[in-house]
Amino acid sequence: MRKGEAADPTRQAPSSTPGIQAAVFKEVSRAVTRVHEEEGVKLPPDALSDELTRAYNALLERAEDAGDRDELLSLVPWLEARLRKRLREARAAPGDGKRRA
């Protein structure tokens, strides 16, 4: 911005948060879909979207370098195991994970 110019209020500052890596998100999506199918769990579209978001974020949190595509892809089997365990625990204790009114 030059001296005397007004700042554009609609302009956003550059983000330091990396965007979604399409190849990684595709693998996460495949893993989530596969595990749910194998465990016999069918999710409605909104719930699937929430599950994909949770799974992708869990992968980013687990990684030492969330910008490293190869590291993220290497963590997909960990993600699958974690998801499978959570689904099996939910099946063993139905109702524990539901929200109360």
Side-chain angles (χ1 to χ4, degrees):
M1 188 165 75
R2 294 186 189 118
K3 187 176 179 181
E5 288 182 352
D8 180 358
T10 62
R11 186 174 174 192
Q12 295 180 356
S15 174
S16 61
T17 305
I20 292 176
Q21 295 187 45
V24 175
F25 190 80
K26 185 182 287 188
E27 288 305 312
V28 168
S29 178
R30 287 177 179 157
V32 167
T33 302
R34 180 176 43 256
V35 170
H36 278 82
E37 285 177 359
E38 290 172 1
E39 296 298 321
V41 177
K42 183 170 168 72
L43 294 175
D46 286 347
L48 177 59
S49 178
D50 291 344
E51 188 69 17
L52 291 173
T53 301
R54 261 191 305 277
Y56 189 83
N57 286 336
L59 205 68
L60 293 179
E61 289 173 15
R62 180 75 173 186
E64 289 180 20
D65 179 359
D68 183 343
R69 177 181 173 266
D70 291 335
E71 180 184 1
L72 293 173
L73 290 173
S74 75
L75 290 171
V76 172
W78 164 83
L79 181 69
E80 285 187 44
R82 179 177 186 249
L83 179 56
R84 192 175 308 280
K85 179 180 178 182
R86 193 181 58 147
L87 290 175
R88 288 179 180 169
E89 287 172 353
R91 184 180 300 127
D96 286 354
K98 296 186 179 180
R99 288 187 230 159
R100 299 200 180 4

